[in-house]
Amino acid sequence: MAYAYLFKYIIIGDTGVGKSCLLLQFTDKRFQPVHDLTIGVEFGARMITIDGKQIKLQIWDTAGQEAFRSITRSYYRGAAGALLVYDITRRETFNHLTTWLEDARQHSNSNMVIMLIGNKSDLESRREVKKEEGEAFAREHGLVFMETSAKTAANVEEAFINTAKEIYEKIQEGVFDINNEANGIKIGPQHSTAGAGGAGGAGAGGAPPGGCC
Amino acid sequence: MHPFLMKQQMEYGIFIIEQEGNSDFNRAKLMNVGFAESQKQKNGGWQCFIFHDIDLLPLDSRNLYSCPRQPRHMSASIDKLNFKLPYEDIFGGVSAMTAEQFTKVNGFSNKYWGWGGEDDDMFYRLKKVNYHIARYKMSIARYAMLDHKKSAPNPKRYQLLSQTSKTFQKDGLSTLEYELVQDTSVSVATSGNNHVVLCDVTGWAHLVSRSWEITSFKAYDLTVTLGQQLPHDPYLVTIGEDEAGVTPLIKVWDWSRVDRHGNPKCVRTSRAVPSHMYPTQATALAVHDNKNLLAVGFQDGSVTLYRGDITRQRSGKMKTLPDTGSSPITGLAFKGADKLFVVSRACVMVCWIGSERCVVLDAMGASPACSVLADGHRLTVATTNAIYCYTTDGRGPCYALEGEKLRLNWFRSYLVITTNETSNKASSSATTPKLNHLTILDIQNKFIVFSKSFEEIDAVLTEWGSFYILTKKKEMIFLDEKDLQSKLSMLFKKNLYDVAIRTASSQHYDIEGLMEIYKQYGDHLYSKGDLKGAIDQYVKTIGWLETSYVIRKYLESRHLEPLVQYLEVLHKKGCATEDHTTLLLTCYVKIDQHDQQGKLKEFINSKDKAIDFDVDVAIKVVRQVSVDDALSLAGNHKRHDWYLKMVIEDKKEFKQALSYIANLEYEDADMFMKKYGHKLIQNEPEESTKLLKLLCTDYKPRDRLLVDENSLSGGFTEPDRSYPDDFIHMFLSNSERLIDFLEHMISVDSKCTILVYNALIEHYIHVWAKSPESDKKTYEQKILTILKDPDANFDRDQILIICQMLGFQAGILHLYEDIKLWRAQVALHLRSGDAERALSVCRKRGAACPRLWLDVLWAPPPPSCLPELLHVAATEKLLSPIQVIDCLASTSNYTLGDVRKYLMDVLKSEDDVITRERDLAAKYKSEIEKMKAQIKVIQYEPVTFQSSRCAACNKLLELPSVHFLCQHSYHQDCFQMYSESEHECPSCVTSAGRNRASMPPPPAAEQLHSRLHADLDP
C-alpha cells in the first residue's frame, strides 16, 4: 500500500516490561499472555492516518536483556521515534530508565521523539510506580508520557499515534530532514521528489515499498 | 562400493592409498600406510580392515565386509578365474583382518616391489602366529575383476617369501616408513542438480552423484578457489588458477557432456579480472540460476558483473559495479534478476543491476561464507554477536547468537550456523582438535532445532533433500531431518508445546494432529497445575476433542472458572449440547454461591446472545436455583411457556401470569390459556374469566396499540378468536364463572356451538339444583328462556338427561313438549300425581295422539278425571268397553258409579248401532228382491227394442243401429264413437261407473289402519 511517510520506531526498555506485547497489540490487536523472550530484534509494521496522510510505522522491537544491548544499540540509528517502556509493577524497570535514555540519546539522532510508557496499567493492584512519578520523569527529560496496558489495549494506539503525530509536526516545522534516511523517515513513493539525492530515487520504483519481511 | 556397503549397514570408511612416482608398485606397503593413516583418522581407531584390490568388485551382498575371529579371504571366487580357487593358501585380492590380527603379524611386509608375493607373505605370517584362513563358500565369495594393464611381476618374490617366517617381526608395520606427499584440502564445496561438487586446492574437482559415484577431473593446473554448481543445470562455474601469480580464471563446466579425455567439458574459460583492473584475488562468486548473470567479487572490493549466457564462450558484457568500497568482498547473492546483494568485510550493500547503482544497507560487514540468501529474498549475514537479516530496503530483524561465525547456510526454512567453539579447553591444549559448533535455527518458529559440536567443519552441503557436513578430516556427516512426528514427540518430551504447535502449523500438519498437540499441551499445563493456561489450549481443540475429556478433568478437580471459560467458548462456537448448557449454568450457580459475582445474572441478561445456548435447558437449570432469574431469562428469550409455567407452578403468581398472557399474541395467549386456564380459573376466577371473554371475542395483546398499522392502512383482518368450547372444561368446578363466561359468549354471539349451550344449560341446572328455593325461580326462568330461544343451539337429549338427573321438571316438560314426547310428559305428570295437568296435556294433544288418553286411563287416574277419560274413550272408541272395564277393574278404588254413565253411553250407542244395521239389512233385502225380478224378466221375457231415438245423439234412429237389453239403442256410428267396449252400453257403463265411484270407501278398515299408524308413530 502506498504511504506518504514511513517512520521508523524503536521500542526499548528492560526485559519483561511488555515491549513485544505492545507491538503485538498495536499491529495484530491481540494479546499473548505467554511470550518467548525476544532474541535480537523483531519487527512489525502498521499503517496509520494522520492529517489525512497515510503513514507507515515500521517498528523495531528490541530485546531488553542486557546481553543483547550491543545488538539493539545498532538499531537506534535511523529511528525517528522511540517508545521507552517500563513496567509500573516493577520499580527497577523505572529506575533503569535513565540508562536507557542515555543509550538512546547517545546512539540516535538528536531529533528522535521519545515517548515514555508505563505499561501494565491493568495491574493496578500490583502498582509500584506511581503515575505522578512517571509524569515527573517525563517532564524532567522532555518526553511525552502515557500509561498503557498491552493486555487491555488501553492507550496502546494512542501511544504509537501520538508519537507519530509529534514526528509529523516536527516534519512540518522542518526539524527533520526528510531526505536523510538516517533520521528514520522515508518519503513514500508518491512523494518521491525528482532528483532526490541518492536514496529513494527512480531506481527504487521497481522495488515494492516496505516489502520487508 | 558405497551402495554395497550401505546395504550391509556397516560403519565404514574407504581409504584409497596411492603411490607417488613411477617406481615399482608396492601393494603391501601401501596397505600398511592405509592402516596407519586410517588409525589416525578415527578416535579409537578402526577395528576391522578389508584390504582390497581396486580391480575387484563383490558380486554377492551376502559377502559381509566384516571381520570374523580368523582372518578371512574374501575374494575366493573371481570371474576371470572361472570362479575357482586357484590354490588353497591364497590370501590375495580382498582379505579381512582385525586390527589385532594385523598388528600381531606386524602388518604386511614392506619389501615387495612389483606384482605378487605379498599376499602369500601375509599368509605365512598368519600361519606363523596360528591363524587360519576363513572363507565364505564359493557361491557367496564371488567377485568381478576389472580389466587393466598388468604390471610386471616381482622376480624376487619367491626369495622374499622363503624368509618371511623368520623376518616378519622385523619387517612390516614396525618398520614402516612413508611420506605423505600431499594432503589436499577442500577449497570449494557446492551442490546442485543432484550432485555435490568438491574442489580441492590442487585443482581437482570431484563430482559426487547421489549414489556416491565420484567423477574427478583436473579443473585447474594449480588450484580452485571458488565454485558454484547451478541448482538445476549440469553447469559448474569455478574460479581458479592455472598459472602462478594472480590470474583467476573463470571456467564453466558442462558435466553432462564429456571432452575427449572423458572429463566434463569446459564450455567457457575467461579471465576473471577485467583488463583495466589490477590483478587481484577473486573472493566471491555468484551465479544466477537463469545462467545469464554472474558476479565475481575481488579482494580489492570491486565486483564485476557478467551478463549474457554464461555457458558460451565470450558472450555477453562485463561491467564493474561502482561504489562497492575497497574492503574485500566476502559474499554475493542475486535477489531476483535485478538486484545483487554484496557483502564485504566492511559493509552490506545492495546493487540494482539495471541502473548499476549500489546502496549501502549497513556499515557492518561479514567474513567469507557468513552471508546467505535465505528464503530467496532475505539476505542473512552472520556477525559475531548476531545474525542480521537484510532486505533490499535495509536492515531487518536480527537473531542474537553469540560466537565467531564461520559459515552460514540455508536449508529449507533453517539457517545453519557454524561457529567457532569457544570452549575454555581449546586454548589449554593444542593437540585437541579444533571444534566447531553447528546450530540450526528454525527461522519461522524462532527455535534452535539442532545444536552440536563437531570437529572442524569444512563445508556444509545441502543436497538430496538433506544436508551433509564435511569436516576438515574429510569426514562427511549426514544430518537427516526427523520427520514431523518424531520432531513433535521430541518437543513434547521437552514440553516445548508452543514450539511444537508453531512447527506443526508451519509444516501444514493436518488439523487432527494439531488438535492432538493442543490437547497434549493442555494436559501438560494441567498436570503442572496451570489450569487456566491449560484451558486456553483445550479451547482450541473444540470441535475435535471429545468435550467430555476436558470437562471431566476439570470437574474432578473442581476448578470451575476454567471450566466455565471452556464451556462459554463451546457455546460461542455452537458446539454445545444441552448437557453443556446445564453444566455451564450449574457452574455459574456454584460460582455465584461462592462469591457473589453475579455471573448467572450477567449470563441471563446477555440479550445479544453472545453465548449461543439452549434456552430451554438454561431455564430448566436456572429454575432450580432461582425462579426469578429463570423468569427473566424466559422473559428475555420469549419462552412464554416456561415463563408461565414458573409463574404458575413455582411462584403461584396467577395475576402475573394472567397479565403476562394478556400481553401475548393471540396464538400464544390462546395456547397458554388452554394450557394453564384450569389453574388460573381455580385461583383467579374473576380475572381469568375476563381474559377468556376477551380471548373469545376480540383479543388484542394488551400492550398493542389500539389501532394497529394494518387496520390503518385499510386492511381488515378477521380478528382471531378462540372457541369457548375449548375453555369450558376449565371451569369444571366453578359453575358460576362458567355461566358468567358462557352467558357473555352467548350474548356476544348467539351462534355458539352446541357444546356452549349444553354447558351453559347444564351448569344453569346445576346451579339451580344447588341454589336455595328463593333463587331457583330466577334460574328456572333463565333456563327456560334459553330453552325457548329458537336460536339456542343445544342438544335436547343431553339436556333432557341432565334435567332428569337433577330433577328439573320445568325443563323436562319443556323439552318433552319440544320433542313431542307427550306420552312422556303425561307419564311425568302422572308420576308426580298431577292428573289434572296430565289431562290438560291429553286435551291439548289428544287429537294427535289418542294414546295419551289411554295412558292416563291406565295410570290409573283419580275418579274425578274418569268421566272425561271415559267419555273420550267412548267417543273416540279408543278401547273396547270390555278393556276399559278390565283396566278400571285392576284398581279397586273405582265405584260402579264412576263408570255407570260410561257404560250406559256405551250400551246405548251399541243399541243404536244394532237398530241401524237392522234397517239397513231390510232395505238391502228388498233391493235384492227387486233385482232378482228384473233378472227374471231379462231372462225369460221378450224384449222389444222400440226406441226411435239414438241414446247418444238423441236423433232419429236410423239403420244400421245397435240395441241393448237395457232399452238403449244407438246409431252404429254413435255407438262406435262412444263405447269403450263392444259389449257394454255406453250409457249404462257410465252410470254404473258413477255408482261405483260414489260409493263410500270401506270405512272401518281404513280407519283402523290409520290409527295403527298413529299409535306406532307418535
Side-chain angles (χ1 to χ4, degrees):
Chain A
M1 206 170 147
Y3 53 82
Y5 292 106
L6 184 141
F7 294 168
K8 280 193 188 171
Y9 278 17
I10 182 166
I11 312 178
I12 50 174
D14 270 11
T15 184
V17 296
K19 296 182 293 298
S20 298
C21 288
L22 277 172
L23 177 61
L24 195 68
Q25 183 59 258
F26 181 65
T27 57
D28 286 25
K29 294 191 166 43
R30 62 192 174 93
F31 177 73
Q32 201 175 342
V34 190
H35 195 275
D36 304 333
L37 272 180
T38 308
I39 295 171
V41 176
E42 280 173 28
F43 170 81
R46 200 185 127 182
M47 213 64 134
I48 59 166
T49 312
I50 289 175
D51 199 15
K53 289 210 165 68
Q54 292 276 43
I55 290 173
K56 183 169 177 169
L57 298 186
Q58 202 177 60
I59 304 150
W60 301 101
D61 168 28
T62 65
Q65 280 171 298
E66 189 62 41
F68 301 126
R69 199 63 77 86
S70 62
I71 300 166
T72 56
R73 269 187 202 129
S74 66
Y75 280 83
Y76 285 125
R77 205 179 62 84
L83 272 67
L84 176 54
V85 189
Y86 70 93
D87 181 351
I88 64 157
T89 67
R90 286 190 296 146
R91 176 157 287 278
E92 74 270 18
T93 65
F94 182 75
N95 296 341
H96 292 155
L97 286 178
T98 346
T99 332
W100 282 109
L101 201 59
E102 270 169 24
D103 233 21
R105 290 256 155 91
Q106 192 183 339
H107 294 92
S108 68
N109 68 67
S110 52
N111 292 326
M112 184 162 79
V113 174
I114 302 176
M115 175 152 236
L116 181 64
I117 287 175
N119 194 25
K120 311 198 186 174
S121 64
D122 53 299
L123 302 174
E124 194 58 48
S125 57
R126 283 160 47 192
R127 182 189 277 275
E128 282 182 14
V129 183
K130 279 190 216 125
K131 193 171 181 179
E132 292 71 31
E133 293 177 84
E135 281 165 352
F137 184 90
R139 239 188 339 268
E140 196 180 318
H141 295 89
L143 313 175
V144 190
F145 175 70
M146 203 170 250
E147 278 197 354
T148 63
S149 165
K151 188 173 186 179
T152 64
N155 272 344
V156 172
E157 292 268 300
E158 290 81 351
F160 283 92
I161 290 171
N162 288 355
T163 314
K165 277 183 183 154
E166 191 124 334
I167 297 168
Y168 186 75
E169 278 165 21
K170 282 195 174 183
I171 292 171
Q172 304 295 9
E173 289 164 14
V175 177
F176 276 116
D177 173 13
I178 48 174
N179 287 325
N180 183 0
E181 270 191 45
N183 282 335
I185 297 163
K186 199 170 159 186
I187 308 172
Q190 79 266 43
H191 270 240
S192 59
T193 44
C212 177
C213 304
Chain B
M1 282 310 287
H2 286 295
F4 176 85
L5 290 169
M6 282 193 234
K7 205 168 172 184
Q8 296 189 352
Q9 299 189 326
M10 303 284 180
E11 184 197 359
Y12 67 92
I14 297 179
F15 294 86
I16 298 165
I17 316 299
E18 291 215 46
Q19 183 177 338
E20 202 206 22
N22 293 319
S23 56
D24 279 338
F25 184 66
N26 189 340
R27 178 183 182 262
K29 188 167 180 180
L30 286 172
M31 292 297 181
N32 282 343
V33 171
F35 178 82
E37 279 299 306
S38 65
Q39 287 300 71
K40 284 187 201 165
Q41 190 233 20
K42 192 175 189 246
N43 281 342
W46 297 93
Q47 287 307 310
C48 171
F49 293 83
I50 314 289
F51 298 98
H52 215 292
D53 277 5
I54 54 160
D55 59 348
L56 288 174
L57 283 173
L59 293 175
D60 198 312
S61 57
R62 289 173 294 176
N63 190 353
L64 291 181
Y65 272 44
S66 60
C67 291
R69 271 190 308 198
Q70 296 295 332
R72 173 185 284 159
H73 179 229
M74 315 277 287
S75 57
S77 172
I78 296 170
D79 59 349
K80 289 270 166 64
L81 305 172
N82 293 325
F83 299 112
K84 279 189 184 129
L85 197 64
Y87 53 98
E88 191 55 43
D89 297 344
I90 190 167
F91 198 62
V94 183
S95 48
M97 275 184 265
T98 61
E100 185 202 337
Q101 290 159 2
F102 194 73
T103 46
K104 201 164 177 184
V105 298
N106 198 14
F108 281 95
S109 163
N110 294 319
K111 293 178 178 169
Y112 290 79
W113 298 89
W115 182 87
E118 85 290 344
D119 44 351
D120 299 324
D121 179 272
M122 176 51 81
F123 176 77
Y124 291 133
R125 288 170 182 243
L126 292 169
K127 209 171 169 189
K128 189 79 189 162
V129 289
N130 289 326
Y131 283 121
H132 306 283
I133 304 299
R135 279 196 192 95
Y136 275 117
K137 54 183 174 179
M138 298 300 271
S139 57
I140 292 175
R142 285 152 72 96
Y143 279 81
M145 185 179 270
L146 306 176
D147 284 325
H148 62 91
K149 216 170 77 185
K150 287 222 159 105
S151 54
N154 178 8
K156 291 193 280 183
R157 60 182 190 273
Y158 298 111
Q159 187 200 335
L160 288 167
L161 267 175
S162 60
Q163 296 163 13
T164 303
S165 48
K166 296 166 210 157
T167 61
F168 79 91
Q169 292 297 355
K170 293 174 219 146
D171 172 28
L173 274 180
S174 56
T175 56
L176 179 66
E177 276 176 10
Y178 65 99
E179 186 185 352
L180 275 177
V181 173
Q182 193 177 37
D183 186 13
T184 179
S185 66
V186 173
S187 59
V188 174
T190 173
S191 63
N193 202 22
N194 230 349
H195 283 74
V196 167
V197 181
L198 301 172
C199 301
D200 60 29
V201 291
T202 58
W204 281 87
H206 313 275
L207 209 61
V208 184
S209 76
R210 176 140 208 192
S211 51
W212 298 100
E213 280 159 20
I214 301 172
T215 314
S216 299
F217 61 94
K218 188 90 175 166
Y220 291 88
D221 286 345
L222 288 184
T223 181
V224 187
T225 51
L226 294 164
Q228 189 177 345
Q229 167 67 42
L230 290 184
H232 309 298
D233 299 281
Y235 292 110
L236 171 69
V237 181
T238 54
I239 295 180
E241 311 263 347
D242 262 349
E243 49 195 273
V246 186
T247 50
L249 270 180
I250 301 173
K251 287 188 183 178
V252 180
W253 308 86
D254 177 358
W255 45 260
S256 63
R257 293 189 284 167
V258 289
D259 63 5
R260 54 201 155 83
H261 303 297
N263 290 332
K265 194 174 167 96
C266 178
V267 292
R268 173 179 180 148
T269 313
S270 61
R271 285 168 57 85
V273 185
S275 48
H276 62 268
M277 270 167 56
Y278 291 109
T280 175
Q281 208 72 46
T283 51
L285 168 74
V287 187
H288 196 277
D289 294 353
N290 67 9
K291 294 176 285 181
N292 281 324
L293 283 170
L294 188 151
V296 185
F298 296 97
Q299 184 75 32
D300 66 355
S302 54
V303 176
T304 52
L305 183 71
Y306 297 81
R307 269 182 282 191
D309 193 347
I310 56 163
T311 62
R312 273 196 248 143
Q313 190 77 25
R314 309 229 175 278
S315 69
K317 296 178 207 160
M318 180 173 78
K319 274 262 170 70
T320 306
L321 292 171
D323 311 325
T324 50
S326 59
S327 62
I329 304 298
T330 56
L332 290 167
F334 285 103
K335 192 219 170 210
D338 57 345
K339 273 163 259 159
L340 175 69
F341 283 112
V342 179
V343 185
S344 72
R345 287 226 179 246
C347 60
V348 177
M349 291 168 280
V350 65
C351 291
W352 274 271
I353 292 163
S355 58
E356 286 171 28
R357 201 168 41 77
C358 288
V359 176
V360 176
L361 292 176
D362 204 351
M364 192 164 48
S367 321
C370 285
S371 57
V372 71
L373 194 67
D375 270 346
H377 69 271
R378 242 184 323 173
L379 182 76
T380 48
V381 174
T383 61
T384 314
N385 48 16
I387 291 153
Y388 294 92
C389 298
Y390 293 90
T391 63
T392 50
D393 288 341
R395 195 205 293 172
C398 74
Y399 312 97
L401 189 77
E402 285 289 330
E404 186 198 342
K405 311 293 185 298
L406 292 175
R407 67 187 67 246
L408 202 57
N409 291 76
W410 179 255
F411 173 65
R412 284 183 190 160
S413 63
Y414 302 111
L415 200 57
V416 185
I417 306 149
T418 317
T419 51
N420 239 338
E421 184 85 327
T422 51
S423 64
N424 310 329
K425 282 183 282 175
S427 55
S428 61
S429 64
T431 49
T432 49
K434 258 175 128 181
L435 286 181
N436 286 350
H437 198 83
L438 192 80
T439 310
I440 301 175
L441 194 67
D442 184 340
I443 293 284
Q444 274 178 334
N445 303 318
K446 292 177 188 152
F447 179 63
I448 293 174
V449 291
F450 180 83
S451 180
K452 188 175 177 3
S453 286
F454 291 96
E455 287 168 22
E456 213 171 339
I457 294 170
D458 240 8
V460 174
L461 291 159
T462 60
E463 191 59 52
W464 309 315
S466 48
F467 67 84
Y468 300 85
I469 300 163
L470 191 65
T471 63
K472 249 271 131 52
K473 288 200 152 176
K474 318 286 181 304
E475 270 183 317
M476 208 158 191
I477 297 158
F478 166 58
L479 291 184
D480 195 11
E481 187 178 7
K482 287 198 182 291
D483 64 72
L484 188 55
Q485 204 56 53
S486 44
K487 267 198 260 184
L488 292 178
S489 60
M490 266 167 67
L491 289 170
F492 293 156
K493 266 186 219 143
K494 293 185 177 173
N495 293 329
L496 292 167
Y497 290 97
D498 45 348
V499 178
I501 289 162
R502 278 208 302 264
T503 308
S505 41
S506 74
Q507 300 207 359
H508 306 290
Y509 200 39
D510 66 289
I511 187 98
E512 275 170 57
L514 213 52
M515 290 304 157
E516 180 61 26
I517 303 175
Y518 283 129
K519 186 197 141 201
Q520 288 199 23
Y521 192 16
D523 289 352
H524 168 68
L525 290 175
Y526 182 87
S527 65
K528 282 208 316 196
D530 180 3
L531 300 173
K532 290 213 168 133
I535 210 76
D536 285 338
Q537 301 308 319
Y538 285 131
V539 157
K540 289 177 188 150
T541 65
I542 286 175
W544 298 91
L545 182 64
E546 195 61 46
T547 50
S548 58
Y549 175 83
V550 179
I551 293 168
R552 198 181 307 138
K553 259 194 153 159
Y554 279 84
L555 276 183
E556 277 167 10
S557 60
R558 305 200 162 275
H559 284 95
L560 292 178
E561 294 209 14
L563 185 58
V564 164
Q565 192 193 342
Y566 182 77
L567 289 170
E568 277 175 355
V569 179
L570 205 60
H571 281 87
K572 272 180 199 147
K573 291 200 175 175
C575 302
T577 63
E578 287 183 21
D579 296 335
H580 292 136
T581 312
T582 315
L583 191 60
L584 176 61
L585 291 171
T586 321
C587 289
Y588 278 144
V589 172
K590 282 257 171 73
I591 290 174
D592 283 355
Q593 278 173 357
H594 241 264
D595 44 340
Q596 299 295 319
Q597 289 191 0
K599 282 225 174 197
L600 191 60
K601 282 256 177 353
E602 206 176 289
F603 170 79
I604 289 162
N605 295 327
S606 62
K607 271 190 186 153
D608 52 343
K609 264 223 159 187
I611 294 173
D612 175 36
F613 57 91
D614 189 329
V615 180
D616 296 329
V617 180
I619 295 170
K620 206 190 282 177
V621 177
V622 177
R623 183 183 175 187
Q624 286 163 7
V625 189
S626 152
V627 177
D628 284 328
D629 288 341
L631 271 182
S632 67
L633 189 62
N636 283 344
H637 291 98
K638 304 220 175 305
R639 291 295 198 272
H640 309 310
D641 194 9
W642 279 104
Y643 188 91
L644 291 170
K645 202 170 182 176
M646 287 184 290
V647 170
I648 293 166
E649 291 177 11
D650 299 344
K651 301 202 63 162
K652 314 234 178 273
E653 291 275 2
F654 300 101
K655 276 210 170 111
Q656 194 185 337
L658 278 171
S659 68
Y660 187 82
I661 293 177
N663 285 329
L664 296 176
E665 285 295 322
Y666 163 75
E667 282 84 4
D668 295 330
D670 177 49
M671 191 178 86
F672 292 123
M673 265 328 269
K674 276 175 194 161
K675 199 162 172 186
Y676 299 110
H678 182 66
K679 272 214 169 127
L680 290 171
I681 289 165
Q682 261 187 1
N683 295 288
E684 280 296 331
E686 289 277 344
E687 295 279 324
S688 357
T689 315
K690 215 181 269 173
L691 182 63
L692 281 178
K693 280 181 191 168
L694 260 180
L695 207 53
C696 297
T697 50
D698 49 348
Y699 177 77
K700 258 186 202 151
R702 197 181 281 167
D703 50 1
R704 175 91 65 82
L705 290 174
L706 277 179
V707 183
D708 62 8
E709 263 180 57
N710 202 0
S711 56
L712 269 181
S713 59
F716 176 76
T717 45
E718 181 69 29
D720 296 305
R721 54 168 63 172
S722 308
Y723 295 105
D725 319 22
D726 301 329
F727 300 113
I728 289 169
H729 67 271
M730 294 173 189
F731 293 91
L732 197 61
S733 51
N734 198 334
S735 299
E736 278 172 51
R737 284 289 133 218
L738 178 62
I739 289 166
D740 180 21
F741 171 61
L742 293 176
E743 271 177 350
H744 177 78
M745 289 320 304
I746 290 166
S747 71
V748 170
D749 178 15
S750 53
K751 286 192 194 75
C752 289
T753 54
I754 296 174
L755 199 64
V756 173
Y757 280 103
N758 281 356
L760 179 59
I761 296 167
E762 186 183 333
H763 283 270
Y764 269 146
I765 296 170
H766 274 293
V767 173
W768 170 84
K770 280 181 208 153
S771 58
E773 282 303 315
S774 54
D775 291 349
K776 278 198 175 177
K777 257 287 180 271
T778 52
Y779 279 107
E780 210 172 309
Q781 208 55 49
K782 274 185 185 168
I783 296 166
L784 288 178
T785 22
I786 290 180
L787 290 180
K788 280 171 190 162
D789 186 351
D791 287 336
N793 185 4
F794 55 87
D795 184 348
R796 291 191 163 71
D797 295 334
Q798 202 182 329
I799 300 300
L800 188 56
I801 290 165
I802 295 163
C803 290
Q804 279 174 344
M805 266 162 50
L806 294 172
F808 183 61
Q809 292 243 350
I812 299 173
L813 286 177
H814 176 80
L815 287 167
Y816 281 159
E817 181 75 38
D818 241 15
I819 51 180
K820 305 204 166 117
L821 273 180
W822 298 307
R823 282 186 69 185
Q825 219 175 349
V826 169
L828 184 69
H829 284 309
L830 288 177
R831 229 177 299 138
S832 59
D834 195 349
E836 224 18 81
R837 293 183 67 176
L839 267 184
S840 74
V841 173
C842 290
R843 279 179 216 122
K844 220 153 95 193
R845 306 290 175 191
C849 182
R851 274 299 295 262
L852 291 176
W853 297 105
L854 289 184
D855 284 347
V856 181
L857 193 60
W858 279 107
S864 57
C865 306
L866 214 48
E868 193 183 354
L869 281 169
L870 292 175
H871 175 71
V872 175
T875 49
E876 297 287 326
K877 292 205 176 47
L878 294 172
L879 217 55
S880 67
I882 291 296
Q883 278 171 316
V884 172
I885 299 299
D886 261 1
C887 164
L888 293 178
S890 63
T891 47
S892 54
N893 49 352
Y894 295 120
T895 57
L896 190 59
D898 295 333
V899 272
R900 191 172 57 199
K901 186 168 180 305
Y902 167 73
L903 288 175
M904 291 286 279
D905 287 347
V906 168
L907 289 174
K908 199 170 164 199
S909 67
E910 292 287 308
D911 201 31
D912 288 349
V913 168
I914 290 165
T915 344
R916 207 163 58 236
E917 297 286 314
R918 270 189 194 139
D919 289 349
L920 272 173
K923 190 178 149 205
Y924 290 146
K925 221 173 194 174
S926 63
E927 274 176 19
I928 289 164
E929 285 302 321
K930 233 189 254 172
M931 281 180 192
K932 273 182 180 168
Q934 216 172 345
I935 292 165
K936 222 173 192 174
V937 171
I938 294 165
Q939 273 182 329
Y940 301 108
E941 306 284 317
V943 180
T944 49
F945 303 104
Q946 51 192 0
S947 48
S948 53
R949 290 181 180 271
C950 171
C953 59
N954 217 15
K955 287 186 183 150
L956 275 181
L957 206 57
E958 283 170 39
L959 285 175
S961 56
V962 179
H963 303 281
F964 282 99
L965 283 173
C966 54
Q967 301 296 325
H968 294 109
S969 300
Y970 302 92
H971 295 111
Q972 198 177 6
D973 293 340
C974 293
F975 176 69
Q976 277 168 352
M977 225 149 73
Y978 288 110
S979 74
E980 287 162 5
S981 73
E982 289 191 356
H983 313 293
E984 285 174 279
C985 163
S987 312
C988 295
V989 165
T990 50
S991 66
R994 223 176 286 129
N995 275 352
R996 222 175 286 154
S998 67
M999 257 178 19
E1006 264 176 45
Q1007 255 180 7
L1008 276 173
H1009 184 74
S1010 65
R1011 189 180 305 168
L1012 179 67
H1013 259 277
D1015 280 355
L1016 288 175
D1017 195 12

